[in-house]
Amino acid sequence: DAGVIQSPRHEVTEMGQEVTLRCKPISGHNSLFWYRQTMMRGLELLIYFNNNVPIDDSGMPEDRFSAKMPNASFSTLKIQPSEPRDSAVYFCASSLQGGAEPQHFGDGTRLSIL
Amino acid sequence: DQQVKQNSPSLSVQEGRISILNCDYTNSMFDYFLWYKKYPAEGPTFLISISSIKDKNEDGRFTVFLNKSAKHLSLHIVPSQPGDSAVYFCAAFSREGAQKLVFGQGTRLTINP
């Protein structure tokens, strides 16, 4: 069974550039989550979707960040323009119905902004 | 404002002994708690959970204890094995309000042979 698939696994780019992270959730899962992990703040939720609709984006740090889920099998997290402080590991996760149900995480995208 | 706290960044335990990982929370509205395990370069994987109506849940070598009055939970691993070496995250959820998982900072567990 395929798990949550994220791409790319690593991204190194210069500040000011646009960065797009991609996620394919587990088939049949209705909820999708984007997290960011840093040393300072740990694992923090950025945004989550239920049935492709954004439910809570209060964790999105600022307007430079945007996320979309055009269909049930694909989501993107975009940073434009990127800044060095955006450097982190970004995880995508999905679950069957959201709520307290255990989430299945992808292996993350390690993002470095120079 | 850290609602879920894992005060020990790291823990080292001898193989075969018991590992105890601790987690404290401040929000009394949390009613469901989960533990995740994370290996390097991989995403977290779900380990075990407990509802606030229980004080203990056991799954093989893993047991989670919940003390609601102290707002404290712990994960016990018995016996500890080298493959248990990983970072362990505690997470909490409230069915009221935001309805999203709040994670602790994680504890790095090292099992020594």
Side-chain angles (χ1 to χ4, degrees):
Chain A
D1 288 342
V4 175
I5 300 172
Q6 292 187 245
S7 64
R9 289 298 311 274
H10 303 273
E11 175 88 14
V12 181
T13 191
E14 293 186 347
M15 67 177 291
Q17 296 297 307
E18 178 179 291
V19 172
T20 300
L21 311 181
R22 296 173 176 79
C23 175
K24 177 179 169 54
I26 292 173
S27 177
H29 280 193
N30 294 328
S31 297
L32 182 139
F33 309 83
W34 282 101
Y35 290 89
R36 178 171 68 175
Q37 184 184 20
T38 61
M39 290 294 292
M40 292 294 293
R41 301 176 67 88
L43 198 61
E44 53 179 343
L45 178 68
L46 301 177
I47 185 171
Y48 77 92
F49 296 82
N50 265 0
N51 295 314
N52 313 339
V53 176
I55 302 301
D56 185 341
D57 65 354
S58 60
M60 296 285 262
E62 44 196 280
D63 292 345
R64 297 184 297 107
F65 286 68
S66 63
K68 293 182 180 179
M69 192 165 185
N71 57 63
S73 59
F74 184 66
S75 177
T76 59
L77 177 67
K78 189 172 292 187
I79 308 173
Q80 166 64 17
S82 57
E83 296 183 3
R85 60 193 167 119
D86 302 330
S87 298
V89 181
Y90 291 80
F91 289 102
C92 176
S94 70
S95 69
L96 199 55
Q97 292 180 342
E101 193 162 311
Q103 297 171 16
H104 300 257
F105 283 77
D107 286 338
T109 295
R110 182 172 294 277
L111 177 64
S112 297
I113 309 297
L114 307 177
Chain B
D1 178 24
Q2 195 74 17
Q3 296 187 68
V4 178
K5 300 178 184 178
Q6 294 175 257
N7 292 319
S8 299
S10 62
L11 177 67
S12 187
V13 174
Q14 206 73 18
E15 181 179 358
R17 298 287 185 102
I18 183 172
S19 295
I20 300 176
L21 297 105
N22 294 303
C23 178
D24 297 295
Y25 60 96
T26 57
N27 187 345
S28 58
M29 297 300 291
F30 287 142
D31 52 11
Y32 199 77
F33 304 88
L34 305 90
W35 284 94
Y36 283 79
K37 174 180 178 179
K38 184 185 179 306
Y39 292 120
E42 295 183 9
T45 55
F46 169 72
L47 194 56
I48 192 170
S49 62
I50 188 167
S51 166
S52 60
I53 63 173
K54 295 185 175 181
D55 54 19
K56 175 183 174 181
N57 189 26
E58 191 172 351
D59 183 2
R61 296 186 298 113
F62 302 90
T63 303
V64 55
F65 295 91
L66 175 62
N67 182 334
K68 284 181 291 185
S69 60
K71 295 192 180 67
H72 176 84
L73 64 156
S74 60
L75 174 68
H76 293 212
I77 307 173
V78 180
S80 300
Q81 299 174 353
D84 297 329
S85 296
V87 176
Y88 289 79
F89 290 96
C90 168
F93 180 87
S94 169
R95 288 180 173 85
E96 305 287 335
Q99 295 196 9
K100 56 188 180 184
L101 275 184
V102 179
F103 283 84
Q105 297 281 75
T107 296
R108 180 178 301 279
L109 175 65
T110 302
I111 306 301
N112 301 309

